[in-house]
Amino acid sequence: MASFNQTKINPQSFHYSQIKFLIYLVPLAIVMMLPIIYIVSTAFKPMDELFAYPPRFFVINPTLNNFVNLFRQTSQSGIPFSRYIFNSIVVSSVGVTLTILITSMAAYGLSKLKFKIKKPLFVINQYALMFVSVAVTIPRFLIIVNIGLYDTFWAHILPLLAMPVGLFLVKQFVDQVPDALLEAAKIDGATEYQIFWHVVIPIIKPALATVAILAFQTFWNNEVTSQLYITNDSNKTISFFLSTITSGSGVAGAGMSAAASLIMFLPNIIFFILIQNKVMDTMAHSGIK
């Protein structure tokens, strides 16, 4: 347990020894935030500032017209904008929950349980890290059609539940759980389920937080499913819909496109800020290991 507590990298208070890090980290952080600041600034720019030459980085007279135009164009599609948001929230919530559950259970099985094909299964997971999503598009399409998921809500969720990176990361954490701790729990009469839920899960929370962020980004930003596997507009998600109404809009639609980007980006950054402490702890632990 002590080894996990020592992996925390966020200091609780300021110390003068941190100044040497802040000297180069603060400018670097500012540079990395420039694209985010530009998206926010562009989303609130009026039309004359969007066409201004030379282009201005910061907005001078902020307006909500880009958001109004975006929602006005959305209302013309016949499907309420709230329907797309509802679909994305449901897909992301269910997808993240199932991904965490499946990934943690698989990691526990591959790390602590004893069965014959344990090593080959983990090797297959490592091979899966090499495949990009485009390479499996056709096989995935055939599977979805043949098992009857085409044009259903589950087509958004089931194909994306497998996360090789998450399984690899969580298994590394479960490997660090002392076997003596699990044996002690068994001697006290705990079942396998109780050991997994009450002993292992609290220890690997930082890794699960990282998996949650990766899974949320995957489900929230996913456009491919709505494009390839869904024909009913009422079952499509907001990421696909915003991409369709802003693509090809040119300079005139730059403000509307920035507003759509901001709407898609905000949930990701809010979700990351809420659990970023555990994510940083995961990265530190993985690096030390």
Side-chain angles (χ1 to χ4, degrees):
M1 294 291 291
S3 61
F4 288 98
N5 294 330
Q6 291 170 3
T7 60
K8 293 182 177 179
I9 63 173
N10 291 327
Q12 299 296 322
S13 61
F14 177 77
H15 189 268
Y16 70 89
S17 62
Q18 301 168 17
I19 294 178
K20 59 179 179 293
F21 300 109
L22 296 177
I23 288 176
Y24 65 88
L25 285 179
V26 170
L28 184 63
I30 293 175
V31 172
M32 295 179 68
M33 287 188 65
L34 287 178
I36 300 174
I37 297 173
Y38 182 75
I39 290 177
V40 175
S41 177
T42 306
F44 291 95
K45 280 183 179 177
M47 191 60 69
D48 58 332
E49 292 188 33
L50 288 171
F51 285 98
Y53 185 84
R56 296 168 179 165
F57 191 88
F58 294 103
V59 58
I60 297 176
N61 300 308
T63 177
L64 294 175
N65 286 341
N66 294 323
F67 295 92
V68 174
N69 293 335
L70 180 63
F71 288 111
R72 185 178 299 159
Q73 188 160 345
T74 305
S75 62
Q76 296 174 357
S77 66
I79 304 294
F81 189 67
S82 57
R83 176 67 189 188
Y84 295 110
I85 295 179
F86 173 78
N87 290 345
S88 288
I89 292 176
V90 172
V91 167
S92 300
S93 302
V94 177
V96 170
T97 303
L98 290 180
T99 299
I100 292 175
L101 182 63
I102 292 173
T103 301
S104 58
M105 293 178 70
Y108 177 70
L110 291 175
S111 177
K112 297 300 181 184
L113 301 183
K114 296 179 181 178
F115 53 96
K116 268 191 174 181
I117 58 172
K118 184 168 73 172
K119 288 185 178 179
L121 286 177
F122 188 61
V123 171
I124 291 174
N125 182 76
Q126 289 175 299
Y127 285 149
L129 292 171
M130 298 184 294
F131 288 92
V132 295
S133 58
V134 177
V136 296
T137 298
I138 294 177
R140 181 177 291 174
F141 178 83
L142 295 175
I143 292 173
I144 288 175
V145 171
N146 287 326
I147 63 177
L149 292 180
Y150 188 78
D151 202 22
T152 66
F153 216 71
W154 286 105
H156 289 288
I157 300 173
L158 291 182
L160 301 180
L161 289 180
M163 183 177 289
V165 175
L167 177 57
F168 182 83
L169 182 65
V170 176
K171 183 183 177 297
Q172 297 296 97
F173 257 70
V174 178
D175 286 344
Q176 304 304 309
V177 178
D179 291 335
L181 189 62
L182 305 185
E183 293 296 331
K186 288 181 181 177
I187 293 174
D188 289 341
T191 63
E192 206 70 58
Y193 170 77
Q194 289 172 326
I195 294 173
F196 168 74
W197 193 253
H198 297 292
V199 178
V200 176
I201 289 294
I203 295 176
I204 65 173
K205 275 183 179 178
L208 296 182
T210 305
V211 172
I213 285 183
L214 296 175
F216 182 80
Q217 290 179 338
T218 300
F219 285 101
W220 182 259
N221 299 325
N222 181 32
E223 303 173 10
V224 177
T225 299
S226 296
Q227 185 177 5
L228 298 180
Y229 313 137
I230 304 294
T231 55
N232 188 348
D233 286 341
S234 61
N235 286 335
K236 295 183 177 179
T237 58
I238 187 175
S239 59
F240 172 78
F241 185 73
L242 290 180
S243 68
T244 56
I245 64 175
T246 57
S247 62
S249 54
V251 179
M256 197 168 58
S257 178
S261 300
L262 186 60
I263 291 174
M264 290 302 301
F265 173 74
L266 278 180
N268 286 296
I269 192 65
I270 292 173
F271 193 68
F272 178 80
I273 290 174
L274 290 176
I275 57 177
Q276 59 91 20
N277 283 337
K278 294 186 180 301
V279 175
M280 293 300 106
D281 198 27
T282 304
M283 299 305 173
H285 175 76
S286 301
I288 292 172
K289 178 61 181 175

